[in-house]
Amino acid sequence: MNAPNQSGWKPEMQLADAGFVNGPATTTGNRALMLEEPLLFEIGRADVTGVDLPPVDASAPTRLAGLARGEAIGLVGLTEPETVRHYTRLSRQNYGIDLGFFPLGSCTMKHNPRLNEKMARLPGFADIHPLAPQSTVQGALEVVHQLGHWLCTLTGMPAVAMSPKAGAHGELCGILAIRAAHEARGDAREVVLVPESAHGTNPATAAFANYRVEDIPATPEGRVDVAALKARLGPDVAAVMITNPNTCGLFEKDFREIADAVHAVGGYVYCDGANFNAIVGKVRPGDLGVDAMHINLHKTFSTPHGGGGPGSGPVVLSEALAPYAPLPFVRKQDDGAFYLVEEESGEECGPTFGRMTAFHGQMGMFTRALTYMLSHGADGLKQVAEDAVLNANYILRSMEDILHAPFAGSGPCMHEALFGDKDFTQGLTTLDVAKGLIDEGYHPMTVYFPLVVHGAMLVEPTETESKAAIDQFITAFRAVVERALAGDEALKQAPYYAPRRRLDETAAARKPKLAFE
């Protein structure tokens, strides 16, 4: 580096008066193997390049016409070693599932088996082009077809749309299919009901599809208020969007009753399948009366997750909605060959609402998810759900004596345990506990969600964590909570040992600095 970075983390920023040992300051800002990393603009210069390029004739004709750049682009030139070291050093400041337990509630951050990665990198899957002739990609089409078959089998649904590329994208797919079904019978409806215990993306999806969203309250036990939902049903209700298991970590035991009531007034039931990991192999949503449900392959079936992608959100559909599934979809011929149905005018295409994407979905995610399914088998997938629920209940019962657990009496939790900050003192908050966990070496749990619990802390261990790993987390979690209950003011300044100290998160969200000055 050209010079120590004066704007960021420094060893001398440790607080000696809070019980943390302060070592001597270093010239570089590095602390042993915790390396201080400047910005690219602080490493290189814009007037040099890190590679040798042939001279360019500025007068040579190009195809850019009026789009040609008129001034220097201003990017720094770095050598290959400088570039590799920069991003490697940054990666050392990141936290990932390969480093430790990732307790994000409702996100299902499980271990990604390396077998999945190996299969996804096979040239016949990784190197194909979406416009390749179908005769040359029969193996890839078979993967899509077979994965779709198993998704239908696991959910008890007759049809699946494979192209949605993430959970929210899948939600939109399901809602558009519902809209198309209503329009096909000349039944214009305006309202989608969303319980308080549903995923936060549900109301946004319904609003994006031009529906008016109305909330349905939760009971004191953390489940949908069935009486309130039934009282609101009517001819203007297009659908209910319900999450099961819900974001309080509870199974909606009255789901079938809710579905029957919605169907009785001509509406449809959309189930948010983000929490399918808790019931895969145990419950078939189709048996509960679900009409549409997205499945996060990057959660339940263990593909890379986080940072905005990559993801995949296939949507399973009931018999009533199957004709409105988006294009394209894969079909198998009598001779065993596979082909894509891509034209709305084709004989095999029903009254589809059109396309969700330009192509066919996330091939790498399909390959990983199918590998995960086949390597587990039916009994293994059932055990996935059982172990995930066991681990979550172990955390719930290990913490409920010192941490407010509002739904601990509502029966066993499912995939995640929910806590609140009810008993914290000295103005300490859930955020302080989350930052304290960083010092203990853990990425914090999901915080302040769901909104039905004040200062919510949502912990999902998944099935891939061992008892030893969970015990270690519980020990750290209890220690930080005990500090919050005792009013330890030092927590308000945590984290102390992270690459950066605590940010002003409000200012960072409202006044982000997105460019180097």
Side-chain angles (χ1 to χ4, degrees), residues 225-508:
D225 188 327
V226 179
L229 186 144
K230 287 183 175 180
R232 179 56 190 87
L233 291 175
D236 61 340
V237 174
V240 59
M241 297 184 77
I242 185 170
T243 303
N244 194 28
N246 66 31
T247 51
C248 297
L250 302 172
F251 189 82
E252 294 287 357
K253 56 185 177 63
D254 298 319
F255 197 103
R256 183 77 230 192
E257 181 182 353
I258 292 170
D260 290 343
V262 174
H263 291 153
V265 298
Y268 294 99
V269 177
Y270 184 91
C271 182
D272 187 307
N275 299 338
F276 190 48
N277 197 66
I279 59 174
V280 61
K282 301 286 289 186
V283 177
R284 300 195 313 173
D287 297 336
L288 301 178
V290 171
D291 291 297
M293 184 180 86
H294 80 267
I295 303 170
N296 296 76
L297 299 186
H298 52 285
K299 292 186 178 186
T300 302
F301 300 108
S302 182
T303 63
H305 179 235
S312 185
V315 178
V316 288
L317 299 165
S318 66
E319 186 176 350
L321 294 183
Y324 306 98
L327 296 169
F329 46 86
V330 179
R331 287 288 183 266
K332 186 177 183 179
Q333 299 178 159
D334 292 338
D335 63 359
F338 297 89
Y339 64 98
L340 285 165
V341 178
E342 299 189 86
E343 301 296 332
E344 292 186 42
S345 58
E347 295 181 0
E348 296 180 80
C349 185
T352 175
F353 68 77
R355 278 181 176 264
M356 291 291 293
T357 65
F359 295 111
H360 323 303
Q362 304 280 51
M363 191 64 223
M365 304 302 102
F366 295 159
T367 309
R368 291 175 172 93
L370 183 59
T371 302
Y372 184 83
M373 287 183 183
L374 295 179
S375 61
H376 278 72
D379 57 338
L381 290 178
K382 180 181 178 182
Q383 186 178 350
V384 163
E386 292 173 347
D387 289 351
V389 171
L390 177 64
N391 286 350
N393 278 277
Y394 182 55
I395 290 177
L396 176 64
R397 302 309 171 189
S398 297
M399 296 296 299
E400 64 178 338
D401 62 315
I402 64 167
L403 192 56
H404 178 53
F407 305 124
S410 299
C413 67
M414 297 300 290
H415 56 302
E416 58 197 358
L418 179 58
F419 306 99
D421 65 354
K422 180 180 178 181
D423 301 316
F424 292 174
T425 61
Q426 300 296 107
L428 289 163
T429 67
T430 286
L431 184 65
D432 298 323
V433 170
K435 300 301 185 183
L437 272 175
I438 294 176
D439 279 335
E440 297 288 348
Y442 290 98
H443 190 289
M445 73 296 284
T446 296
V447 294
Y448 299 111
F449 179 78
L451 300 179
V452 295
V453 173
H454 188 275
M457 290 169 270
L458 194 59
V459 182
E460 180 176 1
T462 82
E463 75 284 354
T464 58
E465 298 300 329
S466 67
K467 183 177 182 297
I470 296 176
D471 282 338
Q472 187 179 41
F473 170 76
I474 290 171
T475 299
F477 194 13
R478 287 184 68 92
V480 178
V481 169
E482 286 169 355
R483 293 172 62 192
L485 294 173
D488 185 350
E489 292 284 340
L491 266 182
K492 294 182 179 180
Q493 300 299 322
Y496 295 91
Y497 298 132
R500 291 291 182 271
R501 296 301 309 279
R502 187 183 298 205
L503 302 176
D504 182 337
E505 298 192 14
T506 302

